[in-house]
Amino acid sequence: MIEIKSPRDLARIRRLALAAQGLLQAQPYGRGLAGARKAINHIGYVQIDTISVVERAHHHVFHSRVPDFKPAMTNQLLLNGDIFEYWAHAAAFLPIADFRFSLPYKHAIKSGQTHWHKTHDKKLMGELLARIRSDGPIRSRDIETNTTKRAGWWDWKPAKKALEQLYMEGDLMVSSREGFQKTYDLTERVLPSQVNSQMPGMEEFAEYMVDQQLRCHGFASLKGLTYLRRNAALRKAVKILVNERLAQGTLEQVKVSSGEIFILETGALERSLPRLNNRMLILSPFDNSVIQRERLKALFQYDYQIECYVPAAKRQYGYFCLPLLYRNEFIGRIDCKAHRKISHLEIKSLYLEQHHFDEEAVTSAFVEAITKFSHFQNCDSVSLTKAQPEHLTEHLRSALKPLG
């Protein structure tokens, strides 16, 4: 086992993780639609989220890796049959080539495992399938029901519940989406004919998970290899496979200062890696590189929590604070709101942590990053309310004046 003790070793393993995520190079996957296609094929999924104080997470993840990415491209990938929508550890867009590895969960749901709803209206589900088969794709809002006004977002109309259950069981797929209005169609009509739809065996599923996680993260903990997957048999198969590969010498282990052990391909630490530069990235709270919070803390000593689920009085950094990555360190967070009607990006708060960095270089990198980020929000002006450390506030405001 390799122990990561020196700053040099830590810097290298961080570079390996960030390079595997496509966060060190300016355009590791290319640009535009083709770049987005290549990016998701490499990183394995893009999480979908509804929060819209800034551009939604699934667009933000692409934006962080693909120059010239536009939000409309996500739906174009869906329409082109390059990706599909389903559940990974959360709702996500996934590469169409990985479709067959969604089948075990679909089978589990169809066999009685609960995802959202414990009870299902089988009669209504059958009627909806028949209607879609005869009349074509359908949106949930197209269905008329006689239900009374819903009590809240959790009290879905019966038809919407039935649609979601058919989707989770695999009879339906999302053929397109406009914002968060999804269009459903029969899987047999949406799935491209060349896509492999054979159910994988458990050993094959385990191989897929291990290979995917090592490809997109560089290395992973045993727990991280099946992050939030509710499948005991899969976790067992992954553990067996990892132990086999460790014994064969194709995998090795590293131990970081927190005591956490990570698995990586033998020789991965000796590979040529992209050089560090002074670029800053403003990442989504749901970005693939930060979503595993324990890994993030162990590797980068960055304690991060999204606070939109925390009561307002208990928030430390803001409703939707975004991680700031500078070189190979997470050096702070920023809480923003895009005021779309007036094309203005408000920086409610900016927090830079006590790292030993060049303030001028960090300021310059931040201004460049927020400029690109504001354009991504379709905002043509930016304001800063407060910053920590406080002595940087006026300096940053002055640097942001050309954007104001």
Side-chain angles (χ1 to χ4, degrees):
M1 183 181 297
I2 302 169
E3 292 202 29
I4 303 298
K5 293 181 176 180
S6 70
R8 183 174 177 275
D9 289 342
L10 180 60
R12 183 155 188 83
I13 199 167
R14 285 175 172 178
R15 280 173 63 199
L16 176 62
L18 295 171
Q21 275 290 307
L23 295 176
L24 288 186
Q25 295 169 288
Q27 45 178 317
Y29 310 112
R31 310 177 75 89
L33 188 65
R37 184 188 306 114
K38 191 173 180 181
I40 195 170
N41 284 334
H42 178 83
I43 64 176
Y45 77 93
V46 171
Q47 186 169 336
I48 300 169
D49 193 74
T50 60
I51 296 172
S52 61
V53 289
V54 293
E55 186 58 70
R56 288 185 170 92
H58 39 288
H59 300 143
H60 189 168
V61 171
F62 280 119
H63 164 76
S64 297
R65 294 162 173 81
V66 183
D68 298 332
F69 173 81
K70 302 292 188 294
M73 291 176 182
T74 306
N75 193 49
Q76 191 59 53
L77 290 170
L78 199 61
L79 292 170
N80 291 351
D82 295 318
I83 61 174
F84 72 106
E85 187 171 328
Y86 196 60
W87 201 261
H89 72 269
F93 292 115
L94 300 146
I96 197 67
D98 293 350
F99 175 80
R100 62 193 298 251
F101 296 103
S102 71
L103 296 178
Y105 194 57
K106 290 171 180 173
H107 177 73
I109 299 298
K110 186 166 278 193
S111 300
Q113 182 172 312
T114 299
H115 184 78
W116 283 308
H117 312 298
K118 291 183 179 179
T119 59
H120 314 123
D121 190 333
K122 296 289 187 181
K123 182 174 181 291
L124 180 55
M125 287 166 64
E127 290 171 353
L128 281 170
L129 270 181
R131 175 174 170 178
I132 293 169
R133 185 169 283 111
S134 63
D135 297 350
I138 199 168
R139 297 173 299 177
S140 56
R141 72 181 182 193
D142 293 332
I143 302 169
E144 294 183 6
T145 67
N146 295 318
T147 56
T148 56
K149 187 175 181 180
R150 290 175 289 165
W153 67 265
W154 61 90
D155 186 18
W156 290 1
K157 294 181 292 185
K160 183 167 176 60
K161 286 184 179 181
L163 275 177
E164 287 289 347
Q165 186 64 24
L166 287 165
Y167 161 73
M168 291 306 302
E169 291 185 7
D171 295 296
L172 298 180
M173 288 180 71
V174 175
S175 58
S176 69
R177 62 154 62 217
E178 183 181 343
F180 273 81
Q181 186 59 231
K182 294 183 280 191
T183 299
Y184 297 90
D185 201 356
L186 301 177
T187 293
E188 63 208 54
R189 293 202 291 234
V190 178
L191 189 66
S193 59
Q194 75 275 13
V195 173
N196 187 342
S197 58
Q198 183 178 0
M199 175 77 76
M202 193 55 68
E203 289 184 4
E204 188 179 12
F205 197 5
E207 288 178 0
Y208 159 75
M209 289 300 303
V210 171
D211 292 344
Q212 181 215 53
Q213 290 297 297
L214 294 181
R215 181 190 72 238
C216 70
H217 285 302
F219 51 88
S221 66
L222 188 60
K223 180 180 178 181
L225 287 169
T226 54
Y227 178 67
L228 295 186
R229 298 269 182 169
R230 294 191 298 165
N231 189 328
L234 175 62
R235 291 196 295 271
K236 182 179 179 181
V238 163
K239 185 175 182 179
I240 290 170
L241 177 62
V242 166
N243 286 335
E244 287 176 353
R245 292 187 179 181
L246 286 169
Q248 292 163 0
T250 58
L251 293 181
E252 60 185 353
Q253 296 175 311
V254 296
K255 186 177 182 180
V256 296
S257 59
S258 66
E260 187 157 2
I261 294 171
F262 293 100
I263 300 141
L264 69 165
E265 292 181 356
T266 300
L269 284 174
E270 283 71 53
R271 290 176 188 162
S272 176
L273 294 171
R275 291 183 179 180
L276 294 176
N277 57 48
N278 289 341
R279 187 174 65 141
M280 183 179 289
L281 289 176
I282 301 168
L283 299 178
S284 167
F286 301 102
D287 193 278
N288 303 43
S289 64
V290 302
I291 198 66
Q292 295 188 37
R293 312 296 196 216
E294 290 179 9
R295 170 193 170 92
L296 186 65
K297 189 173 182 179
L299 184 58
F300 292 95
Q301 289 78 59
Y302 183 65
D303 192 2
Y304 177 72
Q305 178 186 22
I306 183 173
E307 296 185 337
C308 54
Y309 308 117
V310 176
K314 295 184 178 181
R315 288 176 193 146
Q316 184 178 1
Y317 298 110
Y319 176 78
F320 200 62
C321 56
L322 313 175
L324 297 178
L325 174 66
Y326 176 69
R327 294 178 62 83
N328 67 341
E329 293 184 285
F330 286 89
I331 67 164
R333 55 209 88 198
I334 180 173
D335 187 37
C336 299
K337 181 177 177 60
H339 298 275
R340 295 180 178 88
K341 289 183 179 180
I342 57 173
S343 301
H344 178 73
L345 181 66
E346 175 191 6
I347 304 172
K348 294 185 173 185
S349 57
L350 167 66
Y351 296 88
L352 296 175
E353 298 175 3
Q354 298 302 312
H355 291 258
H356 298 290
F357 52 71
D358 182 326
E359 289 186 359
E360 284 300 323
V362 166
T363 298
S364 176
F366 174 74
V367 171
E368 183 178 351
I370 203 70
T371 301
K372 292 178 180 177
F373 191 68
S374 64
H375 293 161
F376 178 54
Q377 312 300 320
N378 290 320
C379 292
D380 51 28
S381 62
V382 179
S383 63
L384 171 65
T385 302
K386 65 176 181 178
Q388 290 287 344
E390 290 184 7
H391 74 268
L392 286 178
T393 302
E394 289 306 317
H395 181 48
L396 285 164
R397 282 178 180 156
S398 176
L400 290 170
K401 271 186 179 179
L403 304 177

